[in-house]
Amino acid sequence: MRSKSLALIAASTGLALAMTACGANSSSGGSSPSDTNTNSASGGGEKVGVILPETKSSARWEGFDKPLLEKALKAEGLEPDIQNAQGDVQKFSTLADGMINAGVKVLIIATPNSEVGAAVAKKAQAQGIAVIDYDRLNLGGSSDYYVSFDNEKVGELQGQGLVQGLEALAAGKKPAEVIEIEGAPTDNNATLFYNGQQKVLKPKYEAGDYKLVQSQPIPDWDNQQGGVTFEQILTGNGQKVDGVVAANDGLAGAVITVLKKYGLNGKVPVTGQDATPEGLQAVLRGDQFMTVFKPIDAEANAAAKLAAALAKGDTAAADALAKGSVQDTKGNRAVKSVLLEAQLITKDKVKTVVDAGFVKASEICVADLTAACTELGIK
Ligand code: BGC
């Protein structure tokens, strides 16, 4: 079991982390090599570099992580520089070099693959810069801390969502035919999501309740390619499918576009993840059966609190925040972690996501969805 040491859930869904910057002190802070830019609007403190992995794999990175990290880091009095590598590992390295040269105290990285993450961490640490793996763990890397969700549990929620969806939409169909459209093979999270899903689905396949048509990882989580791949599998199976595991809302959207073409949308449960506005709308419409709500504000806050402690060189405070642990299966080491909890969102739970302030009702309750929103009390 790869992630048996996904150990500690540090906070509950949608709530502030039960953590404080206790014990923080600035005794070992040291001075910043090139701290010339003290922009008052940005907190004016130590520089922290953030590199996000892509824009095309999910609406989350630019839509949620970027603004939430910016806000959280500034609230800690830090000066963030947040960039996106657009899925380009070369660009990732170049951005990291620029930040290292600019004198960041801490680097927060969510990488397109572990190799570039490991290389960047090594380089940064050689300059005395602390590194936090954000959302995605870099296998074989050396980052100091990891902040994410319990990603195997996220996969389990997707598996449970599919089971619920098949009960609702394909009751009595045996075996129910399932297609799995998975995340990038280069993203450790995709492996964890898959492992979690299989905890729920494997017994169903083995019992003959469900039949796996095909399981296909999608390089770079490329949503468009996900749609093309799904259509090939669907037509190869005589246009028959009863349920679809789509590893995130972006892939789910691509799957739904194909299902529409064959008149199957709304009849086939499709899973998702990220509670993006588009994903939530598809859930309200009944085209997508579920999504997973990962409160990215809590993830951003946890990363910012860790960064604040590390910018002061206060590893004791950082350790007090990162009480969990995740096993790097390649590097064979335990990485100190903050792991947050996610929540399964079906149509009746979309309100939870709005009430948590994650998305606004005005973002999703438009056009054809106003009636559904009223009915569900979403405002
Ligand atoms: C993240 C997901 C996201 C996916 C594609 C994963 O590592 O955990 O939230 O949907 O990458 O960007």
Side-chain angles (χ1 to χ4, degrees):
M1 193 78 302
R2 294 193 70 152
S3 58
K4 60 178 181 290
S5 58
L6 276 181
L8 196 83
I9 304 303
S12 61
T13 304
L15 297 177
L17 289 171
M19 46 170 62
T20 55
C22 55
N25 69 70
S26 55
S27 58
S28 50
S31 64
S32 172
S34 60
D35 204 7
T36 47
N37 176 12
T38 43
N39 176 356
S40 58
S42 61
E46 300 285 10
K47 288 180 185 167
V48 173
V50 180
I51 314 178
L52 300 173
E54 311 105 6
T55 51
K56 289 188 192 145
S57 64
S58 170
R60 65 167 285 178
W61 302 112
E62 291 298 293
F64 292 90
D65 296 274
K66 187 177 178 189
L68 291 169
L69 279 162
E70 173 125 16
K71 193 174 158 208
L73 288 162
K74 284 182 179 169
E76 293 297 327
L78 299 164
E79 188 188 325
D81 177 12
I82 306 182
Q83 304 290 339
N84 191 307
Q86 308 289 356
D88 179 341
V89 290
Q90 187 53 53
K91 182 167 182 193
F92 197 98
S93 300
T94 309
L95 286 169
D97 287 345
M99 290 174 179
I100 293 169
N101 291 336
V104 297
K105 282 282 184 178
V106 183
L107 258 188
I108 299 175
I109 53 173
T111 62
N113 69 39
S114 290
E115 286 73 26
V116 71
V120 161
K122 209 170 159 195
K123 221 174 185 182
Q125 287 166 327
Q127 304 293 319
I129 298 166
V131 183
I132 301 171
D133 278 356
Y134 180 76
D135 201 75
R136 299 176 176 175
L137 181 72
N138 291 301
L139 296 178
S142 57
S143 293
D144 303 284
Y145 295 92
Y146 178 48
V147 176
S148 194
F149 292 85
D150 180 341
N151 291 309
E152 191 169 294
K153 187 71 205 300
V154 169
E156 271 183 70
L157 296 178
Q158 293 175 316
Q160 286 163 15
L162 187 75
V163 171
Q164 287 178 24
L166 285 169
E167 274 163 13
L169 297 169
K173 176 96 201 295
K174 195 174 167 181
E177 297 189 53
V178 175
I179 298 174
E180 299 176 348
I181 301 296
E182 301 292 349
T186 47
D187 176 0
N188 181 53
N189 283 349
T191 309
L192 299 174
F193 301 146
Y194 175 81
N195 290 347
Q197 294 157 12
Q198 297 310 310
K199 266 189 170 173
V200 180
L201 300 180
K202 203 161 167 255
K204 300 276 188 189
Y205 292 136
E206 284 174 356
D209 296 336
Y210 299 174
K211 181 183 153 212
L212 179 63
V213 178
Q214 199 173 320
S215 184
Q216 194 60 49
I218 304 298
D220 305 327
W221 291 88
D222 184 319
N223 295 178
Q224 219 198 332
Q225 192 176 331
V228 171
T229 303
F230 174 69
E231 185 164 10
Q232 281 164 357
I233 300 172
L234 180 66
T235 53
N237 196 44
Q239 301 179 14
K240 283 184 304 170
V241 66
D242 297 304
V244 185
V245 173
N248 76 357
D249 287 356
L251 292 170
V255 164
I256 290 164
T257 302
V258 175
L259 289 173
K260 277 186 182 151
K261 188 170 157 188
Y262 294 91
L264 291 170
N265 60 304
K267 297 176 187 159
V268 173
V270 178
T271 69
Q273 167 179 195
D274 288 340
T276 60
E278 296 75 12
L280 293 168
Q281 288 182 315
V283 171
L284 288 174
R285 238 171 238 132
D287 287 341
Q288 187 174 323
F289 191 79
M290 59 81 73
T291 185
V292 178
F293 172 35
K294 303 196 296 189
I296 295 171
D297 48 352
E299 192 178 21
N301 289 343
K305 287 208 184 321
L306 266 179
L310 294 169
K312 289 183 198 134
D314 190 347
T315 47
D319 286 353
L321 296 168
K323 294 208 181 75
S325 163
V326 157
Q327 188 66 17
D328 172 350
T329 50
K330 188 173 170 200
N332 202 20
R333 68 177 186 123
V335 187
K336 292 171 191 167
S337 304
V338 179
L339 297 176
L340 305 164
E341 211 173 272
Q343 198 180 337
L344 197 166
I345 301 295
T346 40
K347 190 173 175 178
D348 56 320
K349 303 260 166 50
V350 172
K351 190 179 184 312
T352 320
V353 185
V354 176
D355 290 349
F358 190 70
V359 292
K360 292 195 182 75
S362 58
E363 286 175 88
I364 57 170
C365 298
V366 295
D368 60 312
L369 294 172
T370 49
C373 284
T374 309
E375 201 178 306
L376 294 163
I378 302 169
K379 47 183 189 301

